Amino acid sequence: MVGKTVKTKGVVTAIRKVRADTFFFVQDAAGDNDPTTSDAVVVVSKSRDIKVGDSVSVEGQVTETTEAPNHLSVTTISPAIIIKTGTAGLPSPVVIGQGGRSPVTEAIAGRDPERSGIPFFETLEGMLVTVEDAGVVGPTNKFGEMWVVGDHGAHATGMNSYGGITSTPGDSNPERIQVQFDKTLVDPTNYQLKVGDRLASVTGVLNYSFGNYEIIATTAGSVTSATLPSSPPLESGPQFVTVGSYNVENLDPKNEDLAKVYDKDEIDDDVGKGRFAKIAEHIVNSLGSPDVMALQEIQDNDGAEVSDVIAADETLKTLTAAIKAAGGRDYKWIDMPPVDDEEGGQPGGNIRCAILYDDAKAKPDLSSVGRITDPSFEATRLPLVARFAVGDKHLTVIDVHLSSKGGSDPLFGKVQPPKDGTLSKRTEQARAIKTFVRTLPDQNDPVIIVGDFNTLWFEEPLQVLTGGTPAFENLTLRDAPLERFSYVFEGNSQALDHALISAGASTSADFRTFHVNSVYPEEQQMSDHDPKVVRLRLSN
């Protein structure tokens, strides 16, 4: 059918303008009573004076449009002529959930719409649908998107105690549905929702965009706000050492100059927005001011400005001052600046790992401070290493930020199973870290590897790090499988941040993740990652 001129008719259920294009969702009000085929089509036209509820005739060319080579295509009639022939009531929306079409809960790829997510949603493409008692599993982001499951997750697999849905081996949760709020249809300002919140209902047309099926909302019901669980900090004391980890997401003290950045979207004012103060509150009040604090994504002093600046002393000075002002420790820091523009991240930002420490409790052996180098870390942050004396005991901390998963295939895409774009690279990075650990002079000292691994708990890089000699325990695995998360990506709760401890010391360790960011709307987040703390009773 692609390239052929066709004629059809139906009722306009929604109209959406995106840049220069106007998209009309046209549905056969009667339908064909075949649940394996859609009763609607997306029409791209410059026709004017067409409104929702108009009966129309359509003539135009069939196309399959796609936004990227690894994305699915959407059948459209484009270009097209639309002519109004009358008015009609809108067809009843198809219920996705109880009392309607039950979404698939485990497999994404396949041919059977009763067993696989992609063909299930394809049968509803362009149609008017509704989700009742929509539980928010992915908070509202800056694009006005959120992710929900129907019936408050009653029939979903993988629901966690926060009301989110957790990615586990073999289950990427195809039942979660992206909802797109467009201010011309439903203003997202009124729907800045967190994980666990509930919408009485959301109705709209089913579309596919940027690697996800989505409901473009035309109406949304009332909101019930959730009360989320919280955890107290792990108490410290003379018999313990506590080590925290926090990806602070491109933190810098500079409100960038437009003339010195590649794009205006790179400009941010972390001081003016209160990010330093709020992150400091997290470290003090939620994490309990750990003795040692491993940080990731510390930027240089002028942030995203393109310059020769690589020092981050002003960034770290601003953060440590904010921590002290919040009632926390008087931290000192360890920082080894990267070579300019060679370790990835936001252009100009020179992100790196840095370590804060309270030298009244943990004294670094400065001769031990260094970074792990290996060809696998090309365009990636090098791990930062420091050995600390705590009384007459010793502890080595390795602060990591492995390669991003950026560039991977979308879950709802052409490539099945989706390819993780940097899995092999992160696996080699894990091997390099493990090789380095074998060179440490005292193999009896406990070692903690913490940070942003950009790796799910069941993926190969973490198997490399925890297996073999010396053995490590991933403390993430002490949480129940559905509670293992530090990040929410497209509605999937997942663990990217971990704490690994050498096996000989693991029996003396406690561990806790603090969900202060990932479950909240993006406008309320101080970072897209949640911090963690390990408490260790040292014994050599």
Side-chain angles (χ1 to χ4, degrees):
M1 292 290 288
V2 173
K4 292 187 176 181
T5 298
V6 297
K7 296 180 180 180
T8 189
K9 60 183 179 179
V11 58
V12 177
T13 58
I15 302 171
R16 189 184 187 206
K17 293 183 179 180
V18 180
R19 294 179 289 277
D21 293 322
T22 302
F23 295 82
F24 299 85
F25 292 80
V26 178
Q27 183 168 337
D28 181 350
D32 61 4
N33 293 316
D34 183 355
T36 65
T37 62
S38 172
D39 295 329
V41 68
V42 181
V43 179
V44 183
S45 175
K46 298 186 182 300
S47 297
R48 298 182 178 182
D49 301 323
I50 302 296
K51 298 180 176 62
V52 171
D54 285 348
S55 296
V56 295
S57 63
V58 177
E59 182 172 351
Q61 192 174 72
V62 176
T63 61
E64 289 287 334
T65 60
T66 184
E67 294 156 325
N70 59 351
H71 289 187
L72 300 175
S73 62
V74 176
T75 303
T76 63
I77 301 178
S78 173
I81 302 298
I82 304 178
I83 298 175
K84 179 178 177 179
T85 59
T87 59
L90 299 186
S92 298
V94 175
V95 175
I96 300 178
Q98 187 171 323
R101 296 279 305 279
S102 297
V104 177
T105 60
E106 293 186 18
I108 287 180
R111 296 184 177 182
D112 185 349
E114 300 299 318
R115 297 176 180 270
S116 306
I118 289 175
F120 172 82
F121 286 114
E122 192 170 28
T123 65
L124 297 169
E125 192 174 286
M127 293 180 65
L128 198 61
V129 299
T130 191
V131 176
E132 303 286 350
D133 195 9
V136 178
V137 296
T140 311
N141 64 22
K142 64 182 178 181
F143 303 109
E145 301 163 344
M146 69 170 63
W147 280 259
V148 303
V149 291
D151 308 309
H152 198 224
H155 309 290
T157 59
M159 298 297 291
N160 60 49
S161 63
Y162 280 72
I165 190 167
T166 306
S167 181
T168 54
D171 186 1
S172 295
N173 302 313
E175 64 266 48
R176 65 197 159 77
I177 307 168
Q178 179 178 312
V179 176
Q180 173 70 64
F181 290 115
D182 186 321
K183 63 182 179 181
T184 64
L185 299 171
V186 178
D187 191 347
T189 304
N190 301 321
Y191 294 95
Q192 295 297 310
L193 304 186
K194 64 183 180 297
V195 169
D197 288 346
R198 299 163 76 166
L199 278 166
S201 65
V202 60
T203 299
V205 287
L206 194 84
N207 189 42
Y208 178 89
S209 181
F210 292 101
N212 274 297
Y213 284 99
E214 63 178 2
I215 297 173
I216 300 173
T218 54
T219 62
S222 60
V223 174
T224 302
S225 183
T227 300
L228 297 182
S230 61
S231 300
L234 289 168
E235 294 184 10
S236 189
Q239 72 274 36
F240 297 109
V241 62
T242 51
V243 178
S245 176
Y246 200 160
N247 180 325
V248 292
E249 193 183 7
N250 294 328
L251 189 67
D252 71 85
K254 185 69 182 292
N255 188 6
E256 289 89 347
D257 183 340
L258 178 61
K260 297 180 180 179
V261 296
Y262 287 124
D263 188 278
K264 62 181 178 62
D265 291 338
E266 308 290 349
I267 296 174
D268 59 10
D269 182 4
D270 291 341
V271 175
K273 290 180 179 178
R275 289 192 66 218
F276 280 92
K278 191 64 178 178
I279 288 170
E281 288 180 20
H282 289 166
I283 291 172
V284 175
N285 299 327
S286 297
L287 279 62
S289 292
D291 302 315
V292 177
M293 192 72 218
L295 303 172
Q296 303 87 46
E297 293 201 26
I298 288 289
Q299 287 199 334
D300 62 29
N301 294 333
D302 64 359
E305 290 187 356
V306 178
S307 70
D308 294 331
V309 173
I310 58 172
D313 56 314
E314 291 299 322
T315 306
L316 291 162
K317 186 185 299 182
T318 305
L319 178 57
T320 53
I323 292 170
K324 189 173 182 181
R329 298 174 185 262
D330 187 7
Y331 284 117
K332 294 181 171 57
W333 64 78
I334 296 170
D335 170 37
M336 297 187 70
V339 177
D340 192 23
D341 297 328
E342 287 200 4
E343 295 193 12
Q346 186 180 41
N350 288 309
I351 59 172
R352 81 288 305 273
C353 298
I355 297 175
L356 308 182
Y357 63 93
D358 178 3
D359 68 350
K361 180 70 175 288
K363 297 184 182 299
D365 173 0
L366 296 181
S367 68
S368 73
V369 173
R371 302 205 299 165
I372 300 173
T373 59
D374 186 81
S376 62
F377 286 102
E378 181 182 3
T380 304
R381 289 66 54 188
L382 297 181
L384 181 61
V385 182
R387 185 173 187 252
F388 291 90
V390 184
D392 61 349
K393 315 297 184 184
H394 293 89
L395 167 72
T396 296
V397 175
I398 302 177
D399 182 5
V400 306
H401 185 190
L402 304 189
S403 292
S404 164
K405 284 178 173 279
S408 299
D409 293 317
L411 294 177
F412 288 93
K414 284 183 180 178
V415 179
Q416 295 295 335
K419 183 179 179 182
D420 182 330
T422 61
L423 179 62
S424 60
K425 186 174 184 179
R426 297 195 314 276
T427 302
E428 290 307 309
Q429 291 166 2
R431 290 196 176 100
I433 295 168
K434 195 66 173 280
T435 298
F436 171 82
V437 171
R438 294 190 185 109
T439 69
L440 292 174
D442 192 337
Q443 291 291 306
N444 293 318
D445 280 352
V447 177
I448 294 181
I449 309 173
V450 293
D452 176 3
F453 292 73
N454 277 311
T455 298
L456 304 182
W457 59 265
F458 48 85
E459 292 180 327
E460 186 177 4
L462 284 164
Q463 309 308 314
V464 168
L465 283 167
T466 55
T469 304
F472 281 82
E473 179 188 351
N474 184 0
L475 298 179
T476 297
L477 303 190
R478 293 191 181 181
D479 289 333
L482 299 183
E483 304 304 321
R484 297 171 188 168
F485 71 95
S486 62
Y487 192 88
V488 178
F489 180 69
E490 296 185 346
N492 262 330
S493 295
Q494 51 195 25
L496 296 182
D497 307 83
H498 303 274
L500 280 56
I501 188 164
S502 46
S506 65
T507 56
S508 301
D510 297 297
F511 164 79
R512 191 165 293 166
T513 301
F514 299 88
H515 300 299
V516 295
N517 291 312
S518 69
V519 295
Y520 292 97
E522 185 172 358
E523 68 174 19
Q524 297 176 21
Q525 293 178 357
M526 297 301 109
S527 169
D528 47 358
H529 290 254
D530 291 326
K532 298 177 178 292
V533 171
V534 177
R535 182 178 67 183
L536 179 65
R537 185 189 297 271
L538 285 176
S539 59
N540 287 352

